[in-house]
Amino acid sequence: MYVFERSLPTNGKLNSKVLVLNQSYEPLSICSIRKAFILIYLKKAETIITDDRKSLHSVTSTFPWPSVIRISRFIKLPYKNVVLTRKNILRRDSFKCAYCGRSDIPLTVDHVYPRARGGGEIWENLVTACTTCNNRKGDRTPEEANMDMIFRPFKPSHILFIKNAVGRLDERWKPYLYLS
């Protein structure tokens, strides 16, 4: 196995992304084409959708290029909650200020309902804000500071982070990510 894995080239093409589904067709994660091919070769996964424009080649064989694979055994996830961290708040808000929409300046995390008044550390109370807007808002609510929010905070699903990890989403993935 080790020899086979080392024989795969490490050029940029094998860093392409593949959607990984659980046995029940629920989205689990994203992996590289290299990892997907190894899972298929070891019969730990099966190909669901291939990209007909591309293929993987060895010295003697040609293999289809997987776009979506399904794990052969069901993987029980203890939880599908996204962990509340600063980085995940920034990702959820697309690295943009919730008040002015800017993304080209340093960003902080703001409590919509201030902590000084009992506002909690929950998804629905935290947004990304630039330092200018955060300082202008201070220990007030957006209404009291007369600041409109471009978007409202929400608790994200793990599917949102799968979509954000890829950048440009492959059209063939949409039915599996509940987007069609």
Side-chain angles (χ1 to χ4, degrees):
M1 171 58 204
Y2 180 70
V3 175
F4 171 74
E5 188 173 335
R6 288 194 56 207
S7 68
L8 286 172
T10 56
N11 61 15
K13 291 181 182 176
L14 289 182
N15 289 330
S16 297
K17 303 297 182 198
V18 176
L19 178 63
V20 180
L21 304 175
N22 208 341
Q23 188 182 30
S24 59
Y25 289 89
E26 294 174 290
L28 276 180
S29 66
I30 294 171
C31 71
S32 68
I33 190 80
R34 176 186 173 107
K35 178 71 173 178
F37 183 75
I38 291 169
L39 288 170
I40 293 165
Y41 183 80
L42 294 175
K43 300 201 182 335
K44 293 183 177 187
E46 65 176 319
T47 305
I48 301 298
I49 296 177
T50 60
D51 187 345
D52 298 330
R53 299 169 295 170
K54 303 175 188 172
S55 57
L56 294 166
H57 301 278
S58 72
V59 175
T60 58
S61 303
T62 301
F63 303 96
W65 187 279
S67 178
V68 178
I69 65 170
R70 182 176 73 120
I71 301 295
S72 300
R73 290 180 33 199
F74 183 78
I75 297 174
K76 183 178 179 187
L77 297 175
Y79 55 86
K80 291 184 184 177
N81 291 337
V82 178
V83 179
L84 179 63
T85 63
R86 180 182 188 279
K87 187 175 183 179
N88 285 343
I89 292 167
L90 292 168
R91 283 183 186 157
R92 179 202 62 191
D93 296 346
S94 303
F95 297 92
K96 293 182 181 175
C97 176
Y99 302 105
C100 68
R102 291 185 64 184
S103 61
D104 58 336
I105 54 178
L107 299 170
T108 62
V109 174
D110 178 49
H111 290 77
V112 177
Y113 192 80
R115 260 194 319 192
R117 298 191 196 173
E121 299 276 331
I122 58 173
W123 283 105
E124 294 81 2
N125 192 45
L126 298 169
V127 293
T128 303
C130 66
T131 53
T132 305
C133 290
N134 200 353
N135 288 334
R136 193 174 114 210
K137 180 178 162 287
D139 268 351
R140 301 176 290 178
T141 65
E143 294 79 24
E144 292 170 348
N146 200 21
M147 297 174 70
D148 292 328
M149 294 179 69
I150 296 172
F151 49 84
R152 292 283 172 198
F154 61 93
K155 184 175 183 177
S157 70
H158 71 289
I159 293 173
L160 175 75
F161 286 96
I162 289 175
K163 292 187 313 189
N164 288 344
V166 176
R168 192 169 104 9
L169 195 63
D170 188 336
E171 290 294 319
R172 294 174 291 242
W173 295 9
K174 287 187 175 184
Y176 302 102
L177 296 175
Y178 315 112
L179 298 173
S180 58

